[in-house]
Amino acid sequence: DEVDVAALTERGIPLTITPGANMVSVAEHAVMLLLAILRRLPDQHRLTSTGQWHKVRTLTCIEARERAALVIGHGRIGSRVAPVLKALGMRVLVIDPAFKPEDLAARGYEPVTDLKAGLAEADAVTIHVPASIPENRGMVNAGFLAAMKKGAYFVNTARGDLVDEAALLAALNSGQVAAAGLDVFRGEPVVEVKNRPLLTHPNVIVTAHTAAFTDASMRRMGLHAVGACIAACSGGALDPDMVVNGEV
């Protein structure tokens, strides 16, 4: 979604990605953000580190076990988030039109075919769909957020363009959304925070699109990228899953 694919295709240049390199790291990051907002980690740290030990006990923290989590998208990353949430004892609801409901059920998840119904039932929502599909952009809008269970939690480690940030801010301010964990934003990089209230909202934990930034993930990305360059320049075969514009 950052590259002019049509221009590359017109010139006969293959665009390759490293699809499997970061999926574990991003999945871990999504779960980390969810647990952090459920347990109000920044507030716990702030109060404990400033000597307000007893005030920590006044915070309302949420246990993940037996709560319902809706995983939107069951691709490379969503399919790795779901089993971790299940291992935490959560009810895992999954929606992805690319998968048959019976296949998702066979994996131990509750298949969802109606997004609004899934949103109404979930205590937490984590999104894992591409922004390169036009209809996905802005899908987390006022209607989406209003359909969520009141006081639910929201996590986005996919793309900032999926979210209407003004609508999310309004939902946080009203209490419709209890808290959010965000790794991605519109108009990255975000270096000026004065007019970006989501970044400083007390019920939001933010990271700088760093979900993939682990030692193992970055090494895999580099190796996969170099391997694709060598294959393309030497006339070797490119892995079809790595090529965006396969017609080249």
Side-chain angles (χ1 to χ4, degrees), residues 2 19 23 31 40 48 96 102 180 192 197 201 221 232:
E2 299 283 345
M23 54 193 182
V31 175
R40 299 186 63 175
T48 305
D96 191 324
E102 56 266 31
E192 176 53 68
H201 196 283
M221 282 188 195

Side-chain angles (χ1 to χ4, degrees), residues 4 10 39 47 61 64 101 120 189 209:
D4 189 340
E10 183 180 349
R39 302 302 290 268
L47 292 172
C61 297
H209 204 149

Side-chain angles (χ1 to χ4, degrees), residues 1-2 22 26 29 157-160 182-185 188-189 206-213:
D1 53 321
E2 299 283 345
N22 67 3
V26 177
H29 199 92
T157 55
R159 285 290 185 270
L182 307 173
D183 184 53
V184 289
F185 305 88
E188 297 177 3
V206 296
T207 51
H209 204 149
T210 52
F213 278 55

Side-chain angles (χ1 to χ4, degrees), residues 107-160:
R107 300 182 186 190
Y109 310 131
E110 298 180 32
V112 173
T113 55
D114 181 81
L115 178 59
K116 284 192 174 182
L119 291 171
E121 191 169 350
D123 300 291
V125 177
T126 178
I127 188 165
H128 305 282
V129 300
S132 54
I133 299 174
E135 53 266 34
N136 286 349
R137 296 174 196 155
M139 65 179 289
V140 183
N141 54 24
F144 178 108
L145 296 162
M148 289 175 63
K149 178 188 289 189
K150 185 173 177 59
Y153 296 78
F154 176 72
V155 172
N156 183 15
T157 55
R159 285 290 185 270

